[in-house]
Amino acid sequence: MPRLGDDPFLHEGCEITATTFGRFVEIGAGSRLQFSTIDDYSYCDRYADIANAEVGKFANIASFARIGPTDHPMAQASLHHFLYRSPDYWDDADIDAGFFAERKARRARIGHDTWIGHGAVIRPEVTVGDGAVVASMAVVTRDVAPYSIVAGIPAKPIRARFPEVIADRLIALAWWDWSHDTLRDRLEDFRRLPIEAFIEKYG
C-alpha cells in the first residue's frame, strides 16, 4: 500500500485527461478520468470511469463505478460517433465542438464522505449529497439526499444513514475541512465514539 501525499498516486494503466487532484488521492489501476476534479483524500478503485464530474473530499468510489457517463445524440437521425467525431471518418470534416462543450457542461457532483458501490452508475447532472451511500450496481438518475442510502435501477432511497438532526449537525461540523494534523489527533475518536458522542464532543 503506498504512502499517500500531496501528489496523486496513480496505479498502472490509468488514463487521465484534464483532471485535477487534491492531496492524499489514489486512483486505481486501469481507471479513466476525464475533465473532472477529485478533492482531498478521495479515491477510486480499479477501472472506475469518471467524466465531467466534481468529486468532493473523502469520497470512496469502488471498482467499475461510472460517474458522469457521456451521452450520444438522441434527437438526430443517428446516435453514432460519426456525427461528432467526424474526423475519425473523413479528412475534411471537423468535430462537433458544440456537442462536446454541452457534454462537458453536464457535471455530476459527488459530495464529501460518500460511498459509491461497485459497478454503480451516476448519471450526468446528478448530485450525490454529503455522506450518502450508493449501493452496488445502482443506476442513479436523480439527486441523492445527504446521508441517505440508495439502491436499485433506477436508484431509490432505502433508508437514512442517520436521523436528519444528526445528518444536519455533521454537515454543519464539516469535519472534512479539518487539517491533516487535526484528523490525526482525532483519529481514535473517529474510530471509537458513537456518532452522537462524536458530534457532542466536536459540534
Side-chain angles (χ1 to χ4, degrees), residues 78-153:
S78 176
L79 298 163
H80 195 266
H81 286 168
F82 85 84
L83 270 69
Y84 50 95
R85 293 184 179 166
S86 307
D88 293 350
Y89 302 91
W90 300 282
D91 291 336
D92 63 344
D94 295 325
I95 64 166
D96 185 345
F99 174 80
F100 283 109
E102 182 179 347
R103 194 157 74 172
K104 286 179 189 176
R106 300 180 62 218
R107 311 287 286 176
R109 291 176 173 82
I110 308 299
H112 307 300
D113 196 40
T114 45
W115 178 12
I116 311 301
H118 175 92
V121 177
I122 315 295
R123 295 285 302 145
E125 300 181 290
V126 166
T127 295
V128 176
D130 297 336
V133 175
V134 175
S136 296
M137 308 307 290
V139 177
V140 182
T141 59
R142 297 182 182 204
D143 290 354
V144 177
Y147 287 96
S148 64
I149 301 171
V150 300
I153 303 173

Side-chain angles (χ1 to χ4, degrees), residues 3 9 12 15 23 46 57 60 70 80 82 102-103 113 120 127-128 137 146 158 161 164 177 182 186-187 202:
R3 174 70 181 274
F9 186 90
E12 185 176 345
E15 181 183 331
R23 302 172 67 212
R46 296 157 296 152
K57 299 176 182 178
N60 308 274
T70 53
H80 195 266
F82 85 84
E102 182 179 347
R103 194 157 74 172
D113 196 40
T127 295
V128 176
M137 308 307 290
I158 300 299
R161 271 186 67 196
E164 187 174 354
D177 291 330
T182 299
R186 299 174 181 178
L187 178 59
Y202 295 112

Side-chain angles (χ1 to χ4, degrees), residues 55-76:
V55 177
K57 299 176 182 178
F58 296 92
N60 308 274
I61 301 171
S63 57
F64 297 95
R66 189 151 192 204
I67 298 171
T70 53
D71 292 328
H72 290 257
M74 292 178 55
Q76 282 68 39

